[in-house]
Amino acid sequence: MKPTSNKTRRITFLLVQLLAIGAVVAAFIWRDFVDQHMAEYRLSGCLLHDVLHIYCPTCGGTRAVVALFRGQLLSSLAYHPLSLYLVVGFICFDVQTAIAIRKDSPHVLHIPNWYLWGMLIIAATVFIVRNYLLIVHGWDNLGDLLPFWHASSIT
């Protein structure tokens, strides 16, 4: 097997950076589109939210990233703790990868399994807890679906 050149690693690293930045920009554009075009129909663009009236495992993620970029750490955590986990992980990944490229190490672009499992556990936990609190106890920290589940909350 032919070893990957340092130039290829650098290009791959830059492509991953561009992909991440593109994902954040796409999320902001999607949020603006939903706010401008779908709000009058009370649609969010999420099938679980619009049809089943429950929060998906990533609901609140865009709001969390926006709050994080505004420096509102607690608001970001309340919207979705996975966003902070991903941002911190991405920064660590960037530093690790930049060091590996600089040292010409073969361990470039390595994401540990424990990090991926952590993402899955956080998303699943938020999904279960958030929907349980919404449906059973009438507590909705995002404020989108409470009127559907608890008619007494309609003002």
Side-chain angles (χ1 to χ4, degrees), residues 24-45:
V24 170
V25 169
F28 283 110
I29 291 170
W30 176 249
R31 189 74 212 163
D32 285 343
F33 173 79
V34 168
D35 287 345
Q36 292 175 8
H37 297 90
M38 300 174 116
E40 66 184 273
Y41 303 109
R42 296 188 180 264
L43 296 175
S44 69

Side-chain angles (χ1 to χ4, degrees), residues 1-140:
M1 188 165 152
K2 183 180 168 185
T4 308
S5 72
N6 204 16
K7 182 178 179 181
T8 304
R9 290 182 188 150
R10 289 174 194 237
I11 290 171
T12 305
F13 178 70
L14 290 174
L15 288 175
V16 169
Q17 300 299 309
L18 290 173
L19 181 66
I21 292 168
V24 170
V25 169
F28 283 110
I29 291 170
W30 176 249
R31 189 74 212 163
D32 285 343
F33 173 79
V34 168
D35 287 345
Q36 292 175 8
H37 297 90
M38 300 174 116
E40 66 184 273
Y41 303 109
R42 296 188 180 264
L43 296 175
S44 69
C46 174
L47 186 64
L48 290 175
H49 185 280
D50 297 339
V51 176
L52 299 177
H53 304 289
I54 60 173
Y55 290 113
C56 75
T58 61
C59 271
T62 305
R63 288 178 254 195
V65 171
V66 170
L68 191 61
F69 286 157
R70 290 181 178 160
Q72 302 166 341
L73 182 63
L74 294 178
S75 293
S76 176
L77 286 171
Y79 285 134
H80 207 300
L82 184 61
S83 294
L84 181 61
Y85 182 82
L86 290 172
V87 168
V88 170
F90 192 74
I91 291 169
C92 292
F93 169 78
D94 278 356
V95 170
Q96 170 199 3
T97 303
I99 291 170
I101 289 172
R102 193 157 179 85
K103 291 183 177 181
D104 203 21
S105 170
H107 301 290
V108 177
L109 301 175
H110 172 72
I111 300 173
N113 287 338
W114 62 264
Y115 183 76
L116 299 174
W117 279 106
M119 284 180 7
L120 181 65
I121 290 168
I122 291 171
T125 302
V126 169
F127 173 72
I128 292 166
V129 170
R130 183 175 282 161
N131 286 307
Y132 172 79
L133 291 173
L134 169 67
I135 295 167
V136 175
H137 296 288
W139 188 76
D140 183 6

